[in-house]
Amino acid sequence: MKNNLVLHTWFPTTIGKAVCPFYSSIKKKTLQYIIKYKDKNGKYPDHVYEKHFKTKELKKLNLWINKQVSIYAKAHNFKKLSPYEGWFNVYGVNQHQNYHTHFGAIIATNFFIDAGPNDIGTIFRNPNLEPMNPWEFNTTEMNDAKNFNPLTYQTTNYEAQPGTLLIFRGHLHHGTNIKVTPHQRITLNYNYK
């Protein structure tokens, strides 16, 4: 008997990824912009909330980020969106980001300003997370992507590569593992609506 089963894949989760072609030429200037937020002891706050998307020091980068977001939004047939929140995250050893969403944002971005080799990436959770464990995996096996396929992945991890932009829906859960490498990891993040 011939198999007539056809699998339809609906309701995809879309994560955009783009590498800034000119980032190496502005990285130093971008890091100098961030340095001004260090305290008297030379330490960064964990989060620096400002309207970074309006600052002249980041104008070239912001225009590029906005263009990439516009392409992502157009692919979804969304109206024109604008950034309304911006912040830096600065991670040191033993720091991490719990899984969270950007409540109220239609689109969110994560741009890697700086990161060391083998630094922690950004992990996204499947919004249709499987609650029943039909594979009968233990916890370690559940965290190993090799045990899944495009129909069953529970998470995906994007490496922290300076100059790389991630664009995703604001309701998508994401976070990081605990940072173990010594080099600072800095991201620039915007919310759009």
Side-chain angles (χ1 to χ4, degrees):
M1 181 152 100
K2 184 178 176 185
N3 179 7
N4 63 0
L5 175 66
V6 176
L7 298 177
H8 297 256
T9 54
W10 294 95
F11 315 116
T13 299
T14 308
I15 300 172
K17 178 182 174 186
V19 178
C20 182
F22 54 83
Y23 186 62
S24 60
S25 69
I26 65 164
K27 182 176 180 179
K28 184 176 180 180
K29 182 179 178 182
T30 304
L31 287 169
Q32 287 172 340
Y33 171 78
I34 298 167
I35 286 171
K36 69 182 180 182
Y37 293 99
K38 283 187 174 182
D39 64 19
K40 292 183 279 185
N41 301 319
K43 183 174 176 359
Y44 289 109
D46 293 343
H47 306 286
V48 179
Y49 284 92
E50 292 279 341
K51 293 191 176 186
H52 303 295
F53 51 86
K54 288 187 174 184
T55 185
K56 65 181 181 188
E57 292 97 331
L58 301 177
K59 183 176 182 177
K60 185 175 181 179
L61 178 60
N62 286 334
L63 287 171
W64 179 82
I65 290 172
N66 286 335
K67 181 178 180 185
Q68 304 313 304
V69 169
S70 178
I71 293 167
Y72 179 97
K74 186 175 180 180
H76 289 78
N77 292 330
F78 293 162
K79 63 182 175 89
K80 182 172 171 40
L81 303 173
S82 299
Y84 67 94
E85 285 184 307
W87 65 97
F88 286 107
N89 284 338
V90 182
Y91 298 85
V93 175
N94 295 324
Q95 291 182 307
H96 74 288
Q97 184 67 254
N98 289 328
Y99 280 101
H100 64 285
T101 65
H102 293 203
F103 185 75
I106 296 171
I107 291 175
T109 64
N110 183 309
F111 184 81
F112 293 103
I113 298 287
D114 201 17
N118 302 313
D119 216 326
I120 56 172
T122 299
I123 303 169
F124 293 92
R125 278 190 180 156
N126 181 340
N128 302 309
L129 205 57
E130 175 59 60
M132 301 302 294
N133 190 7
W135 311 278
E136 298 181 357
F137 289 151
N138 63 35
T139 302
T140 303
E141 292 168 324
M142 284 297 285
N143 290 324
D144 189 346
K146 290 184 297 213
N147 292 324
F148 299 96
N149 65 44
L151 298 178
T152 62
Y153 286 124
Q154 300 299 288
T155 62
T156 188
N157 186 0
Y158 283 83
E159 290 182 22
Q161 297 291 326
T164 300
L165 173 69
L166 302 177
I167 306 170
F168 52 96
R169 296 297 310 280
H171 66 268
L172 191 58
H173 279 88
H174 58 287
T176 71
N177 289 324
I178 295 174
K179 183 171 171 51
V180 295
T181 56
H183 191 93
Q184 68 188 2
R185 177 189 188 268
I186 303 175
T187 60
L188 171 62
N189 311 279
Y190 292 151
N191 283 339
Y192 288 76
K193 65 179 178 182

